Amino acid sequence: SQGPGKVKFLTSSDGGNFEETTPWRSSERSESAYVETVMFGAPRSVKSLTIAMRMPLTSGYFGLRNVALLVEPGPMMLVAGAAPQGEELCLVSSAGALNAEGCLDAIAAGAGREIFYLNSASQLVSAGDGKCVSLEHAGAANGGELLLRDCASAAAADDGRSTFELTPAGQLKLQSFGGLCVVA
């Protein structure tokens, strides 16, 4: 990919109405291919991002190979992949347990069982019942089992079983225990 001579960013919080986030600006780099980090002046709620480019460099062409957004974690659905029938599976909390269910069914139920968020202690909290995901029965052979626990008691254990992070690849990983990732 070739870098553009000028670029500007527009964001939309609803996916349809865009506002200019950064005005046209020239790149500080002269190479044809480079990595550039652009920070907005303040946190923004972004559903859609538009990157406008103009003034191609010497080749007459420009383009992007990759764009990555740095975001604050908020409410999220944890999608495990596709079932044999082709439907995506989501992690849901149900009667104090964790299960993988069809995402469309979980959303249609309207109970919020498929919504999770990371709290300030990096615990994964079920928005539906306020309980935290914790690794139990951990072992090197099987990795353990994820269960829902009271957030305060999980944090008080102070053993890292209930602290998670999102990786740049979109995986949910335990901060302790050798960086085990959550899989269905």
Side-chain angles (χ1 to χ4, degrees):
S1 296
Q2 302 285 318
K6 290 193 174 199
V7 64
K8 78 174 178 178
F9 297 85
L10 300 102
T11 59
S12 169
S13 61
D14 63 7
N17 298 302
F18 287 84
E19 61 183 27
E20 189 174 274
T21 308
T22 61
W24 286 109
R25 63 193 198 104
S26 298
S27 174
E28 297 175 7
R29 308 286 297 267
S30 61
E31 305 95 82
S32 61
Y34 54 88
V35 174
E36 184 173 12
T37 302
V38 177
M39 301 293 287
F40 300 150
R44 304 182 69 84
S45 176
V46 177
K47 185 173 185 178
S48 297
L49 171 72
T50 296
I51 303 171
M53 300 178 287
R54 67 181 181 190
M55 298 177 55
L57 298 177
T58 56
S59 68
Y61 300 97
F62 55 77
L64 300 174
R65 181 180 310 153
N66 187 25
V67 174
L69 295 177
L70 305 175
V71 299
E72 283 186 25
M76 66 185 106
M77 291 176 43
L78 300 170
V79 180
Q85 303 86 340
E87 182 181 3
E88 289 182 326
L89 298 176
C90 286
L91 183 68
V92 297
S93 62
S94 177
L98 292 168
N99 299 303
E101 292 182 14
C103 294
L104 295 177
D105 292 336
I107 293 167
R113 299 178 304 121
E114 74 285 0
I115 305 295
F116 293 83
Y117 63 91
L118 287 172
N119 67 15
S120 61
S122 293
Q123 292 175 295
L124 185 65
V125 182
S126 166
D129 61 17
K131 293 193 182 256
C132 286
V133 176
S134 179
L135 178 67
E136 304 293 328
H137 317 296
N142 64 3
E145 179 182 10
L146 294 175
L147 301 174
L148 289 172
R149 290 183 63 186
D150 173 73
C151 294
S153 64
D158 199 28
D159 59 7
R161 293 174 186 263
S162 68
T163 55
F164 294 86
E165 65 184 59
L166 291 171
T167 70
Q171 294 177 305
L172 185 65
K173 179 175 93 169
L174 279 157
Q175 288 182 342
S176 300
F177 295 90
L180 295 175
C181 288
V182 176
V183 296

